Structure formats: structure tokens, C-alpha cells
Amino acid sequence: MAGRQAKTLAPRALRATLRYVHRHADPVRSRVIILLSVRAGLRAAEIAKLEWPMVLDASGQVAETMDVRNCIAKKGRGRRIPIHNDLHHELAILLRRGDCEGPIIRSKHGGAMKANSIVNWFIVLYRELGLEGCSSHSGRRTFITQAARLAHRAHGSLRDVQLLCGHKSIETTQHYIDGDSDAQRRLIALL
């Protein structure tokens, strides 16, 4: 896949992926990994390094926003991201297991996962599902593309998307956004 961008996930593919992980040994952990990518736009390294204090409020409950700190973000570009309801729900389930210190996503042996392990986890998942061209970056591209398409409905702009994904330049953000040929046809029809 060198030189090509990871494919975005269509809503149907995302639903199928979330259903499929019910087969995993730890389906809640699997759903959290997927949702951190698709609903928060985190990179594999950020998923691996995200710790409980970054998502909990002062009372120890899952907060409304996550604090992606500079120390885990690429190029030190930390940011605050509102936590999507689906992700909030799954994090709360994971939190009820009792360990609210250290990394959110743990290996099967209980330690922190490495970024490359997250990358490989997604490779295996998408291969099992037959989703060719998808990788650990597919969720991030899906997040950015969907956010860009919906920004106007939230009275936001592409600048808001840029800030959510931690890009230095808006041009970088634009490279992540997948085009939509149906929308292009509708746009031309409006001219």
C-alpha cells in the first residue's frame, strides 16, 4: 500500500467491524480501539499511549472530552477532543473493570501495547473482514472525512477539523478528506 492512502470505512463496514469483534476474547477492548480511531481520530501510537487520566474527570468518571497530551501526540501537537457517545459508553464499561491507572488499551498480558501492535491488530482485523486497502489509518481518515463533511452542520469549519486531528496545516487535513463522487454529481447538478 506504499504511496496510497488507507481507505475510509463506509458506515456499513464500520457496523460490520463493530459486530465482528464480539467474537474477540475482549470485545469491549476491541470496540474501544476501533472507536478511538473512528470516533476520535487517534493515530495508532496515540491509541497505544492514551492513559486513563486523559479521559477521566475529577470524580474519576469518563469525561466529556479527552486530553490527548503533547507527550503522546505526533510532533507534540496535543489537543482536546470531545468524546463521542459510543466511545463514552464503551470507555465506561471498560472503566468498571476497576483499573483506572495507566494505559487504557492493554496487551493480553496486561501491559501497555506498542504502536506497532495496534497497527498489526488493525491489519489482522481488516484482513479477517476482507476490507482491502484498510489499515490502522482508515479510522483516522474516516473521522476526518466525516468531520469535514459535517462541520457546516455544527456551524464549524475545516479549521475545527484541523484542530481536532492535531495537524499543523490545513493542507495536511485536506489530504485526509476522501472525495464523494455522488456529492460531486449533486454539486454539478446545482450549477
Side-chain angles (χ1 to χ4, degrees):
M1 207 165 86
R4 294 191 334 215
Q5 289 184 314
K7 289 186 178 179
T8 57
L9 295 170
R12 172 185 272 167
L14 176 58
R15 287 190 302 272
T17 302
L18 290 168
R19 274 193 314 270
Y20 180 80
V21 297
H22 283 290
R23 304 174 183 180
H24 285 191
D26 190 344
V28 175
R29 172 184 167 266
S30 295
R31 285 192 303 273
V32 169
I33 293 171
I34 294 164
L35 293 172
L36 285 169
S37 177
V38 176
R39 296 292 186 233
L42 298 189
R43 300 170 177 94
E46 294 168 338
I47 293 170
K49 296 175 184 173
L50 190 69
E51 296 190 352
W52 282 110
M54 298 177 196
V55 301
L56 299 180
D57 61 21
S59 67
Q61 299 301 309
V62 177
E64 298 301 315
T65 60
M66 73 174 64
D67 181 21
V68 180
R69 296 183 183 154
N70 292 342
C71 61
I72 73 164
K74 185 175 181 179
K75 297 184 181 180
R77 300 199 57 83
R79 58 213 184 270
R80 293 184 68 77
I81 303 170
I83 299 176
H84 187 278
N85 287 340
D86 295 344
L87 177 56
H88 193 282
H89 174 75
E90 296 297 334
L91 285 168
I93 293 170
L94 203 56
L95 179 64
R96 283 195 291 271
R97 292 183 183 173
D99 189 5
C100 59
E101 293 295 323
I104 293 173
I105 304 302
R106 295 179 184 272
S107 72
K108 291 177 182 176
H109 305 292
M113 287 187 72
K114 302 221 180 296
N116 201 44
S117 297
I118 297 289
V119 169
N120 291 334
W121 185 89
F122 276 110
I123 288 170
V124 170
L125 175 66
Y126 292 138
R127 185 182 307 134
E128 289 173 352
L129 286 162
L131 295 174
E132 291 186 33
C134 290
S135 73
S136 62
H137 229 56
S138 292
R140 183 168 168 78
R141 284 203 65 229
T142 301
F143 171 82
I144 294 169
T145 297
Q146 289 179 340
R149 289 181 183 162
L150 296 171
H152 72 284
R153 290 174 61 187
H155 303 287
S157 70
L158 196 53
R159 172 74 175 145
D160 296 300
V161 178
Q162 175 194 354
L163 295 171
L164 285 171
C165 60
H167 288 148
K168 183 176 182 179
S169 74
I170 207 155
E171 289 81 16
T172 303
T173 306
Q174 289 174 315
H175 288 292
Y176 276 75
I177 301 169
D178 212 14
D180 182 341
S181 55
D182 290 336
Q184 292 165 17
R185 279 190 284 279
R186 289 190 302 270
L187 182 61
I188 293 300
L190 293 173
L191 298 178

